[in-house]
Amino acid sequence: MGSPEFDEKSFNPEVVHHVEVSSKEVDTGAALVGEAGDIDPAEAIRVRKKIDRHILPMMCVLDCVQFMDKITLGNSAILGITTATHLTTNQYNWLGTIFFLSHLVSEYPQNLALQKYPVGKWMSLNTVVWSVALCCHAACTNFAGLFICRAILGLCEGSITAGFMIVSSMFYTRNEQTLRYGYWFSMNGMAQIVCGFISFGCLHIQTTNFEPWQWLMIITGVITFINGVCFFFLFPDSPTTAWFLTSEERALAVARIKENQTGVENKHFKKEQMIEALLDPKTWMFALFAAFENVPNSLNNQRSLIVSSFGFTNLQTTLLGCVDGVIEITTILTGVNIAARVPNSRAYVGTLFFIPNIVGVIVINTLPWSDKVGLLFGQWLTGVGITAFVLSLSWVSSVTAGHTKRITTNAIMLCAFCIGNAAAPFMWQEKYKPRNHVPWTIIGICYAICMMLLLAIRYHLNYENQLRDLEPHDDQYDDMYIERVNEDGTIDEIKVEKEFLDLTDKQNRDFRYVL
């Protein structure tokens, strides 16, 4: 027998004496989870490993190529793009800013589209458009052309991280999410390594009327296009429809995430959940953190220029950029493994990993300019704190329930991410070179604010948990049913567990926030 379908009608109250609920209101996994029965731990692990094998590699590769494409501008700076397109310092900064401004504008529409359309297909479409825009960089001869191409990249970027956040919450438990976020986000570091070697190779390409920076754009664009096409055909949209799972495994995959109390997804937009997200204090605390944490992200476009200013050659700079990637991979994987193994430690781990960043800022601001090796190590230290942002992404997904509320909260947090990234490039003014004391000081202050915000979020969530522990049990949603029409025409009564009613974390008083 195939997978059951929902009947859009509610129960007849004359026949069934339960609280009736429309199938549109509940989670897509509501009817499926009843088929799983008692969960065999060994079977649950087997299904999780099967999910890992089929979706984690694709998520890692896509995150790698999209971040690689994002930093092509920084790598192109030492491959001749500024000279070839006659860019001023201010125009170069604007190319970094417009990416995140267009990303900001697209974030909420992208999140709505991710709720309405199949997640995997929508991300694939954006990736293909992204790849074409990246290749078009090579045809640009001035600031205006590059400006348009970077804006298109920003519009498409809005679907990737938001999509990954949704997919991770669909397939994995809270604790598993922390590790999986680390796995795919650490590919940002891999992207720096791969892009560094590609840039190094491009410097050795000698072609008439086609410069190394143009080759970089074409090569990375083609890689992204191939990845986008493969993603369309191979990446699942939901555990309820995953092609690589049997019907029994789909039911088990949904039942596995019951402990999250966030369900799988709901394709219907709920205005009241959006309003709740806007009024929830933790939404804006996470948003503030994302904004301040990503002001230092402007280093992605400045890193090659800064390292070059220390006195390294272009060839040395491209290869040294690979070290940044190694540091990012190592620190992210270390941080998420600690957070996954030590209960309720996300805020503490994130705060701890900001300390090397502040040390790095102090080193860069105080060492003699002649000590280029020391300055380089100081810059490398400032890459450790990215771990905290990875933890915050998994954290906000784990503490937000209700599909519309979750996509709204994700959108707000990623909009704040864009604001921090968009404003930051203008710190790097010509008048501050070569020491750049002003931007480095601002970055250090942002790190300190982020540490305080993480601890404030933890205090707020812990206080809310304590209040709920004192409340009596809320039985409002304990007896909810829907109809399920099987393929043979028979109708089953399916009790919908509270975890699959698409309730928000405020509505479900049994929900407890992870810390």
Side-chain angles (χ1 to χ4, degrees), residues 358-375:
I358 293 178
V359 172
V361 170
I362 294 172
V363 167
I364 291 174
N365 270 321
T366 57
L367 276 185
W369 190 243
S370 58
D371 189 357
K372 66 178 183 179
V373 175
L375 293 169

Side-chain angles (χ1 to χ4, degrees), residues 68 71 75 190-201 317-319 321-322:
M68 182 172 65
I71 63 174
N75 287 70
M190 182 60 70
Q192 295 182 55
I193 297 172
V194 174
C195 200
F197 280 114
I198 293 176
S199 300
F200 182 78
T317 300
T318 57
L319 292 178
C322 298

